[in-house]
Amino acid sequence: MRGKSQRKVYLDHSASTPVDERVLDAMMPWFTRNYGNASSLHGPGRRAAQAIEDARETVARTLGCQPNEIVFNSGGTEGDNHAIRGGARTMRQAGQGAHLVSSPVEHSAVGETLAQLADLQGFTHTLMPVDRYGRVSAEAFRAACRDDTVLASVMLANNEVGSLQPVAELARFARERGILFHTDAVQAAGQLSLNVADLGVDLLGISGHKFYGPKGVGALYCRNGIALASNQTGGSHEEGRRAGTHNTPLIVGLARALELAGQEREQNVAHFRRMRDQLIDQVLLRVPDAELSGHPVERLPGHASLVLDGVDSSALLMHLDINGVAASGGSACKTGNPEPSAVLLAMGYSKRQAMGGLRLTVGHSTSEKDIDYAVDVIANSVEKLRRLAVVA
Ligand code: PLP
């Protein structure tokens, strides 16, 4: 399998995607020819400002909101921080309380932000239980909400196991109770339809590099009427909600990528589903004791995740990499961390099982041959690792 002509199969699109050539084409002039600062009053500055407003309209159209409800930022992490920190502080200042509700399967950008608000700023938070698929229920949400709850944060789709959360149902209850509802839609963008009115959320974040746009740029939807304090102080960019010079090329790229993802979603999703299902079926067939993690149906179209009992996922990822297969053991941010997956533990898996999470996420270019090759490599690697574990 090794050698010069080794096949390379990238199955880590949930970690990041390549930039679409059409996105790159849209961005290039804003790096090299039209480099004015969008806050400047001269022609080059005004042209950059116009490009940003055009991008804002495109993003707003895709999300079904008003352009002034979009705040451009540096990506998913910043959006989560801004929504939660800003929303929680605004509500507390208004005397609404200081209690936050979330789930134990959120991305660390949410989890760590909640923990810091609790540790340093006097907030309290409740983490709802999740089921075997990593999903929260409306009952658990109702039980977790209190009279002093000011903000809830529940992701639309889980990065590690791909399960979708019943966000519209939860957000409806939150709205009735006057609780701000934030959803991290970083993994969902490009795969699911994201209409903020249908979802009924107040705050929603996306990140460019998950849907064939550039890294380091994102957008946060912030419903009109919510005075979201800026996380960083400085200029009055983004109507005082996010200080710092606009990154014109990246913002143009984000909008173009989101536009293309919307226009081509139907065929992309059909392809993702086909590839994902082949992957899941073949791994379950070829690898003894492999189990699908996350919900079997209510899951991202391009997301396959498995628990491989008795396998250390870091060792497996190395084996796969040596053989040209790029995958992930849970979330990319945890790669190299030998701790069991906190997400799998919260879903009720044992510590031993939670060491053996494997995430395989397909993209536009994934082919059947890629799947066949990757499954061969996975089956051989798991067999080798299990044999070594017995000998040791
Ligand atoms: N939220 C989720 C669900 C993610 O999967 C990620 C990245 O993997 C992030 C947030 C962070 O996004 P970014 O890489 O843009 O900071």
Side-chain angles (χ1 to χ4, degrees):
M1 260 186 250
R2 294 174 69 176
K4 253 190 181 163
S5 60
Q6 184 197 51
R7 200 177 179 96
K8 297 275 181 237
V9 179
Y10 183 80
L11 291 176
D12 205 12
H13 292 85
S14 277
S16 204
T17 55
V19 175
D20 189 304
E21 296 280 350
R22 295 166 294 178
V23 171
L24 198 59
D25 286 348
M27 289 165 64
M28 281 313 270
W30 301 99
F31 281 115
T32 51
R33 288 204 304 277
N34 305 323
Y35 44 79
N37 185 324
S39 301
S40 299
L41 292 178
H42 47 60
R46 289 199 308 275
R47 277 196 289 284
Q50 188 56 54
I52 289 167
E53 291 322 303
D54 291 347
R56 201 184 303 283
E57 275 186 27
T58 302
V59 174
R61 210 178 315 119
T62 313
L63 299 185
C65 66
Q66 297 299 315
N68 70 346
E69 293 178 306
I70 297 298
V71 182
F72 288 120
N73 59 28
S74 68
T77 300
E78 185 183 332
D80 286 342
N81 269 263
H82 192 195
I84 294 170
R85 244 181 257 289
R89 287 203 202 125
T90 299
M91 292 291 276
R92 182 165 68 180
Q93 273 160 13
Q96 303 291 311
H99 178 245
L100 313 166
V101 172
S102 191
S103 87
V105 299
E106 299 299 311
H107 189 270
S108 51
V110 168
E112 293 297 319
T113 304
L114 294 169
Q116 199 190 61
L117 284 172
D119 287 347
L120 303 180
Q121 303 201 16
F123 285 88
T124 55
H125 70 289
T126 301
L127 296 184
M128 295 171 271
V130 292
D131 66 13
R132 184 71 174 175
Y133 303 126
R135 300 184 87 215
V136 299
S137 67
E139 293 72 41
F141 185 56
R142 281 195 202 100
C145 290
R146 312 190 314 211
D147 288 345
D148 62 340
T149 304
V150 289
L151 180 138
S153 180
V154 180
M155 70 206 320
L156 205 50
N158 186 269
N159 45 305
E160 209 169 309
V161 297
S163 295
L164 310 182
Q165 300 286 8
V167 163
E169 195 182 357
L170 308 185
R172 206 175 315 121
F173 178 73
R175 181 75 53 92
E176 284 165 14
R177 296 280 298 261
I179 298 167
L180 283 187
F181 196 96
H182 165 247
T183 193
D184 174 331
V186 167
Q187 290 292 337
Q191 297 199 38
L192 307 181
S193 151
L194 293 182
N195 184 295
V196 291
D198 292 346
L199 290 169
V201 296
D202 300 302
L203 299 150
L204 175 148
I206 60 171
S207 175
H209 71 112
K210 307 292 186 178
F211 49 88
Y212 295 81
K215 294 173 182 59
V217 65
L220 178 68
Y221 157 75
C222 173
R223 188 170 59 76
N224 270 336
I226 300 168
L228 204 62
S230 182
N231 258 349
Q232 58 212 42
T233 46
S236 58
H237 310 84
E238 297 295 286
E239 297 187 10
R241 293 171 295 187
R242 203 267 182 177
T245 299
H246 286 104
N247 195 329
T248 316
L250 266 63
I251 290 171
V252 167
L254 171 96
R256 181 72 179 128
L258 194 65
E259 185 177 41
L260 289 168
Q263 287 165 357
E264 297 168 3
R265 194 163 64 84
E266 219 170 290
Q267 66 261 37
N268 286 340
V269 163
H271 175 67
F272 293 163
R273 275 216 174 93
R274 217 171 36 248
M275 294 297 110
R276 175 200 68 184
D277 290 345
Q278 279 187 23
L279 246 180
I280 294 173
D281 291 349
Q282 287 194 39
V283 173
L284 294 181
L285 195 71
R286 298 272 307 276
V287 180
D289 297 324
E291 189 185 324
L292 178 71
S293 58
H295 200 279
V297 180
E298 293 294 320
R299 67 183 301 127
L300 284 171
H303 195 296
S305 56
L306 299 127
V307 170
L308 307 168
D309 188 40
V311 173
D312 169 22
S313 72
S314 336
L316 175 61
L317 293 182
M318 270 190 283
H319 267 257
L320 301 190
D321 186 43
I322 289 168
N323 289 294
V325 176
S328 167
S331 112
C333 313
K334 288 181 193 146
T335 302
N337 179 352
E339 290 290 306
S341 152
V343 169
L344 293 177
L345 289 178
M347 289 161 62
Y349 285 94
S350 69
K351 205 168 160 193
R352 177 186 148 101
Q353 290 170 316
M355 295 297 291
L358 176 65
R359 180 179 79 176
L360 306 163
T361 45
V362 303
H364 298 167
S365 63
T366 309
S367 67
E368 283 182 24
K369 283 203 170 88
D370 288 339
I371 305 285
D372 291 344
Y373 178 77
V375 173
D376 268 347
V377 170
I378 293 166
N380 291 335
S381 303
V382 169
E383 206 235 300
K384 214 174 280 176
L385 285 170
R386 282 184 175 152
R387 213 173 337 115
L388 285 174
V390 171
V391 173

